[in-house]
Amino acid sequence: MKAAPHRKRTIKRRPGKLRPDEVRELFARLAELDPKPTTELAYSTPFELLVAVILSAQATDVGVNKATKRLFPLANTPERLLALGEEGLKRQISTIGLYNAKAANVIAMCRQLLERHHGEVPRTREALEALPGVGRKTANVVLNTAFGEATIAVDTHIFRVANRTGLAPGKTVRAVEDALLDVVPDEYRRDAHHWLILHGRYTCKARKPECPRCPIRDLCRWPDKTDDP
């Protein structure tokens, strides 16, 4: 996410967790910079998104997009992927880490979609999490990005941003998710996942955070901010 001029407001801060007014200000600034955030995974249907998210575990979105650019023209429905077969799928996604296990999960997922859901991606968390290869984070991404629900999928980027900034501190991914759902204002909740993951991916990086150009630096509680060069 590129930094850009933003509205400056003076907010008195205190150590620790962000106050509600600071949380609102944080999201107002991220929304001003990127009014319509979305996933960087390439997809055109809920099913393609589901496959891409399964493939993205411990892999980059760029790497997944390269693989699905080859895969989806050949097979982008449960029926076509089953016809391609596990070995055929492996050949298409072999550049992605853990591709053997992921191919097995995707094929099993396709079979279950056809057997239980008429080939359609279900729109409930319970049904999504019952699919092979689909956990809570994947279900949250699909519910949010494909179906517009106000879920927040916490990955390593969001976990880091939530703890560093004081937005929603927590010791576990689920604790951070619950904290975010509690503090994010309703009008920002649907897009919060995308704003935070992009902020963590491009600004609040793990090793060399770009604090000097961070649009929420003055709100952030992290004591080890990077100095100006």
Side-chain angles (χ1 to χ4, degrees), residues 6 18 20 34 49 83 119 128 131 144 147 163-165 172-173 176:
H6 59 270
L18 297 186
D34 190 2
L49 177 64
L128 282 167
L131 296 172
N144 177 271
F147 301 131
N163 277 285
R164 272 185 181 173
T165 60
T172 66
V173 167
V176 168

Side-chain angles (χ1 to χ4, degrees), residues 4-50:
H6 59 270
R7 298 164 293 168
K8 289 286 187 179
R9 297 178 177 82
T10 301
I11 295 180
K12 294 181 179 179
R13 298 193 296 118
R14 65 187 182 195
K17 191 175 179 180
L18 297 186
R19 300 190 311 264
D21 62 317
E22 294 173 312
V23 173
R24 185 173 294 278
E25 174 66 12
L26 180 152
F27 283 105
R29 293 183 190 180
L30 296 182
E32 186 176 25
L33 292 171
D34 190 2
K36 296 182 179 180
T38 189
T39 180
E40 293 187 318
L41 290 170
Y43 76 99
S44 59
T45 66
F47 177 75
E48 287 186 359
L49 177 64
L50 176 58

Side-chain angles (χ1 to χ4, degrees), residues 1-4 29-31 33-34 37 40 194-203 213 215:
M1 184 183 298
K2 297 181 179 179
R29 293 183 190 180
L30 296 182
L33 292 171
D34 190 2
E40 293 187 318
H194 299 299
W195 283 318
L196 294 176
I197 194 172
L198 292 171
H199 186 69
R201 183 174 289 166
Y202 296 114
T203 303
R213 70 178 188 89

Side-chain angles (χ1 to χ4, degrees), residues 19 24 26 35 37 39 60 75 77 84 107 109 127 156 160 163 178 193 212:
R19 300 190 311 264
R24 185 173 294 278
L26 180 152
T39 180
T60 66
T77 67
L84 184 64
I107 292 299
M109 178 270 292
T156 55
R160 179 174 63 256
N163 277 285
D178 290 342
H193 162 80

Side-chain angles (χ1 to χ4, degrees), residues 151-162:
T151 57
I152 300 178
V154 178
D155 68 350
T156 55
H157 297 299
I158 295 178
F159 186 82
R160 179 174 63 256
V161 170

Side-chain angles (χ1 to χ4, degrees), residues 37-195:
T38 189
T39 180
E40 293 187 318
L41 290 170
Y43 76 99
S44 59
T45 66
F47 177 75
E48 287 186 359
L49 177 64
L50 176 58
V51 172
V53 177
I54 292 174
L55 297 180
S56 71
Q58 300 183 48
T60 66
D61 287 0
V62 171
V64 172
N65 288 342
K66 287 180 179 178
T68 56
K69 187 177 181 179
R70 298 188 301 269
L71 172 64
F72 288 157
L74 295 175
N76 67 341
T77 67
E79 296 89 347
R80 290 177 180 176
L81 271 171
L82 281 178
L84 184 64
E86 189 172 325
E87 292 304 315
L89 178 55
K90 287 180 183 179
R91 287 192 291 272
Q92 298 300 320
I93 65 171
S94 60
T95 55
I96 300 175
L98 306 176
Y99 70 92
N100 286 314
K102 291 176 181 179
N105 281 332
V106 168
I107 292 299
M109 178 270 292
C110 290
R111 187 173 293 111
Q112 190 164 311
L113 281 182
L114 290 169
E115 292 173 352
R116 301 184 185 181
H117 304 287
H118 308 288
E120 298 293 326
V121 177
R123 301 183 65 144
T124 68
R125 177 185 302 283
E126 181 181 16
L128 282 167
E129 291 187 18
L131 296 172
V134 178
R136 184 176 182 87
K137 184 176 75 172
T138 298
N140 277 337
V141 173
V142 173
L143 290 170
N144 177 271
T145 305
F147 301 131
E149 295 195 18
T151 57
I152 300 178
V154 178
D155 68 350
T156 55
H157 297 299
I158 295 178
F159 186 82
R160 179 174 63 256
V161 170
N163 277 285
R164 272 185 181 173
T165 60
L167 171 62
K171 294 183 178 180
T172 66
V173 167
R174 183 59 188 273
V176 168
E177 179 187 335
D178 290 342
L180 285 170
L181 291 173
D182 187 52
V183 302
V184 177
D186 290 344
E187 64 267 34
Y188 297 120
R189 193 170 295 169
R190 177 175 173 177
D191 292 324
H193 162 80
H194 299 299
W195 283 318

